[in-house]
Amino acid sequence: MSNIAAVRQLVETGKTKLIAAATAEALKEGAAATEILEAMIDAMGVVGEKFSTGAIFVPEMLIAAKAMSKGVEVLKPHLAGKSATSLGTCVIGTVKGDLHDIGKNLVAMMLESAGFTVVDLGVDVPAEKFIAAIGDDVKLVACSGLLTTTMPAMRDTVAAIKSSAASHIKVLVGGAPVTSEFAREIGADGSAPDAGSAVVRAKELLKAA
Amino acid sequence: MLTIRDNLLETIRGGKPDRFVNQYEYLDIILEAPLKTSPKRGETITNEWGITFSWPQDQIGHFPVHDEEHRLLKDITKWREIVKAPSVQYPDERWAAAVNHAAAVDRRDKYVTVFFAPGIFEMCHHLMGMEDAMMSFYEEPECLHELIDYLVDYEIRYAKEIIPRLKPNALFHHDDWGGQIASFFSPEMFAEFFVAPYKKLYGFWKDNGIELIVHHSDSYAANLVPHMIDIGIDIWQGVMTTNNTPELIKQYGDRIAFMGDIDSGAVDTMDWKAEVIAEHVEKACTRCGSRAFIPCLTQGLGISSFPGVYDETSRAIERMSGRMFPRP
Ligand code: B12
């Protein structure tokens, strides 16, 4: 197995304790940092797909994302300035009144491993805070909500963004109670049922932009 | 008319119930028993385990606080130094209300029921946060096994206190094992970490007078049903519609019963409507039938987030009983 293939494998299987050494090894053997990073991103794509189809579960996804971030640590000094892989910045948060963040964190991790720069605002985020976080490089805002009681807050957040100066920014919404009809009804640009498909949807939205 | 208890037994044993079992009616849950402190609305407290819980004024419930400052167990390898189970010895005065409540229950009609929460996995994520708990399956499995054994030991010690006092005959036990569309972990992982501990726990309760184990997980967990049967669950409460309950009944109804199929999230809303509740109840009752099925909100106690929803659901179920069971 080539060193890059090994790194890919270690990300996919979430080997957090072996990844740093393998990444260093691949670099030493002459692989380009960007190339290794691409392999990691591909691996996380596979992880996302498996999660979407129910072949793997939350722990497998968390551990793969952690493995990737440990690998990226090793790559970082070699990547400086080479932001070729950045898909832009995504601001993410759980809407006001809601403190559930496992799903949101998974989406953030998957977006990050797909090449987005992610600004995570945390939980219980009021609409104004979302808007204030939208800087020049922001391409996407992602809102999460798990409570039926915070669906109105999600509606308000989307409405506030869409009537602000940042109205052109794409808004992606999700969380267990969010259906695609609901997303359309509240004026969001898209939604996705899980973290794997969130990345697919995010990329589609930006392509369409 | 059958007693509530006999009607339940007919339902879960494939006999001839004469009406639907109506939600939690067969369980008289003794919530007065001492167990743990929870915050009231507007409060933040640190409980007996050292876990901080908060219930902000504008929220519908309380939750563990897991920021860096408050998370109790930050490194699972240190659990022995950090996690200290509280004492299970309470003075008689603390038991009095529970004992009186249990004594007042007509046991021919209802089950005197112990309430136990959080469950093993919930306790793990209350201690360390969901993400660390989930990653420890892979990163520190040995430590996690040890911690789980410690939690099992605590619950058994608690059982030894409550059983002689209340002589309960049912257990209502929480442990959420999933989200809306997937279980938190694979069946294989569930088998590795939870089957043996739960067999030990539920086995202990059953060896000591508990006739009925009702386990709450308001989630998807259809893939865990074979394990639920294996660990001795009699009734899975909280089964969400995403599980395809009718199919589960067909496949497993001779070994376990299902209580739920009315998603709280869909009907228990601030602006709830009786028609919407009736519609969901009708769907649940007609698609699931009365064999091994108890129509119920998925919420983990006989209450609702918004006043009136629980009772309205009960009324709708009663109407469905009237429609679906021939009058003698
Ligand atoms: C774990 C959990 C908790 C944990 C949360 C820990 C944490 N750090 O997040 C704790 C214990 C703290 C908690 C607290 C509470 N909870 Co809670 N909780 C759950 C539970 C069991 C699982 C949620 C979960 O993590 N799922 C797993 C993740 C991976 O899935 P997910 O969140 O759906 O995310 C996926 C998708 O939805 C999507 N997605 C998510 N966000 C986004 C965003 C975008 C942009 C996109 C595209 C996609 C996307 O991708 C994710 C990954 O695939 C659910 C039960 C259930 N059946 O869902 C209840 C549940 C959500 N909780 C509920 C309640 C009521 C509460 C409380 C009020 C407490 C209480 N007393 O019950 C408090 C709420 C406090 C608050 N204001 O938020 C209710 C909500 C009912 C309702 N009316 O809607 C539920 C449904 C349980 C129930 N039936 O009672 N909870």
Side-chain angles (χ1 to χ4, degrees):
Chain A
M1 202 185 326
S2 81
N3 288 314
I4 291 189
V7 168
R8 182 196 302 262
Q9 185 73 25
L10 292 173
V11 168
E12 231 185 283
T13 52
K15 295 291 187 287
T16 54
K17 289 173 184 163
L18 305 176
I19 186 90
T23 308
E25 185 62 28
L27 283 169
K28 209 170 103 203
E29 297 300 317
T34 47
E35 202 184 344
I36 303 174
L37 184 62
E38 286 301 339
M40 290 178 174
I41 292 173
D42 280 355
M44 283 309 287
V46 173
V47 168
E49 239 165 73
K50 284 188 179 164
F51 183 76
S52 293
T53 59
I56 61 166
F57 296 79
V58 181
E60 289 75 24
M61 194 168 201
L62 287 171
I63 205 84
K66 184 164 177 184
M68 172 153 176
S69 75
K70 292 206 159 177
V72 170
E73 281 303 304
V74 178
L75 293 180
K76 259 193 188 143
H78 305 270
L79 284 171
K82 300 197 188 79
S83 58
T85 50
S86 180
L87 296 174
T89 299
C90 169
V91 170
I92 191 167
T94 302
V95 298
K96 183 156 176 54
D98 204 324
L99 302 154
H100 291 85
D101 65 358
I102 300 159
K104 185 261 301 166
N105 292 351
L106 288 176
V107 172
M109 279 174 203
M110 291 308 290
L111 288 171
E112 193 156 25
S113 25
F116 282 91
T117 304
V118 173
V119 177
D120 189 343
L121 302 177
V123 296
D124 195 14
V125 181
E128 313 83 71
K129 200 166 161 193
F130 274 106
I131 293 170
I134 302 177
D136 292 342
D137 46 350
V138 172
K139 297 257 168 61
L140 184 72
V141 175
C143 307
S144 178
L146 258 275
L147 294 166
T148 49
T149 47
T150 51
M151 290 300 109
M154 182 172 281
R155 180 192 297 272
D156 295 347
T157 304
V158 174
I161 296 170
K162 290 297 177 188
S163 61
S164 74
S167 61
H168 58 287
I169 301 290
K170 298 285 176 193
V171 180
L172 188 62
V173 293
V178 176
T179 59
S180 49
E181 295 85 69
F182 177 76
R184 212 171 310 125
E185 186 195 315
I186 65 172
D189 297 289
S191 69
D194 61 71
S197 43
V199 173
V200 178
R201 199 75 190 92
K203 287 186 181 164
E204 280 170 10
L205 285 181
L206 296 193
K207 221 176 259 156
Chain B
M1 200 161 108
L2 295 168
T3 62
I4 289 179
R5 182 188 171 103
D6 288 342
N7 192 54
L8 170 85
L9 292 175
E10 292 296 312
T11 299
I12 67 175
R13 292 186 182 155
K16 281 200 162 32
D18 59 14
R19 59 192 185 278
F20 280 112
V21 176
N22 201 327
Q23 305 205 81
Y24 286 89
E25 64 174 357
Y26 62 101
L27 299 175
D28 203 325
I29 304 178
I30 313 295
L31 290 171
E32 300 87 341
L35 178 56
K36 59 184 172 19
T37 326
S38 302
K40 297 186 192 55
R41 193 183 273 271
E43 278 181 359
T44 296
I45 58 138
T46 302
N47 77 4
E48 294 76 357
W49 291 81
I51 303 169
T52 303
F53 279 85
S54 175
W55 186 348
Q57 213 42 262
D58 55 348
Q59 301 281 357
I60 58 175
H62 60 83
F63 53 86
V65 183
H66 282 141
D67 55 27
E68 270 313 289
E69 184 190 343
H70 293 96
R71 199 152 51 98
L72 186 65
L73 185 56
K74 298 189 175 94
D75 174 357
I76 189 175
T77 65
K78 305 225 164 66
W79 76 268
R80 272 179 201 287
E81 295 138 58
I82 310 254
V83 181
K84 300 277 181 243
S87 166
V88 293
Q89 312 288 329
Y90 299 92
D92 288 343
E93 309 89 84
R94 287 288 306 278
W95 285 105
V99 170
N100 291 340
H101 181 171
V105 176
D106 178 357
R107 292 175 186 248
R108 285 164 307 181
D109 213 27
K110 295 189 176 201
Y111 288 82
V112 171
T113 306
V114 171
F115 178 75
F116 198 93
I120 303 287
F121 179 62
E122 289 170 335
M123 196 61 194
C124 292
H125 70 77
H126 288 180
L127 286 166
M128 49 187 147
M130 192 62 128
E131 283 160 25
D132 279 14
M134 294 231 198
M135 283 195 284
S136 65
F137 287 119
Y138 280 101
E139 296 194 302
E140 299 296 341
E142 288 311 313
C143 292
L144 188 61
H145 278 296
E146 288 167 16
L147 175 61
I148 288 173
D149 289 345
Y150 182 79
L151 297 173
V152 168
D153 175 66
Y154 165 77
E155 185 171 329
I156 289 179
R157 284 187 292 113
Y158 179 79
K160 285 180 180 165
E161 293 297 316
I162 197 167
I163 287 167
R165 290 185 154 88
L166 305 189
K167 303 188 184 53
N169 42 14
L171 172 69
F172 184 55
H173 199 289
H174 274 225
D175 207 8
D176 267 321
W177 292 330
Q180 183 161 317
I181 51 172
S183 58
F184 286 141
F185 16 65
S186 67
E188 295 73 31
M189 187 167 267
F190 184 82
E192 186 185 339
F193 287 91
F194 296 104
V195 167
Y198 265 105
K199 264 188 172 166
K200 184 172 172 188
L201 265 183
Y202 287 169
F204 183 86
W205 287 103
K206 282 205 162 165
D207 288 344
N208 289 279
I210 296 290
E211 299 154 35
L212 209 57
I213 305 268
V214 185
H215 182 100
H216 164 86
S217 179
D218 53 345
S219 64
Y220 179 88
N223 53 348
L224 303 180
V225 172
H227 290 316
M228 293 187 193
I229 294 167
D230 189 27
I231 62 186
I233 294 174
D234 297 293
I235 299 173
W236 167 19
Q237 191 280 331
V239 57
M240 293 183 75
T241 56
T242 47
N243 288 284
N244 191 353
T245 317
E247 194 50 43
L248 289 179
I249 295 169
K250 212 186 296 162
Q251 214 176 335
Y252 304 106
D254 54 339
R255 283 159 288 165
I256 186 171
F258 301 90
M259 177 167 168
D261 208 59
I262 306 165
D263 296 341
S264 287
V267 298
D268 192 3
T269 54
M270 202 179 312
D271 56 349
W272 65 270
K273 292 191 183 61
E275 307 87 79
V276 176
I277 293 176
E279 190 186 310
H280 283 257
V281 167
E282 179 174 357
K283 266 194 212 147
C285 291
T286 48
R287 75 180 154 222
C288 297
S290 63
R291 171 181 163 257
F293 176 66
I294 300 169
C296 186
L297 290 169
T298 51
Q299 179 123 354
L301 266 181
I303 52 171
S304 47
S305 297
F306 297 96
V309 173
Y310 184 82
D311 292 338
E312 186 55 41
T313 306
S314 296
R315 280 192 289 275
I317 293 169
E318 212 174 292
R319 286 196 300 273
M320 286 311 294
S321 282
R323 275 172 49 188
M324 290 177 66
F325 288 81
R327 293 268 162 228

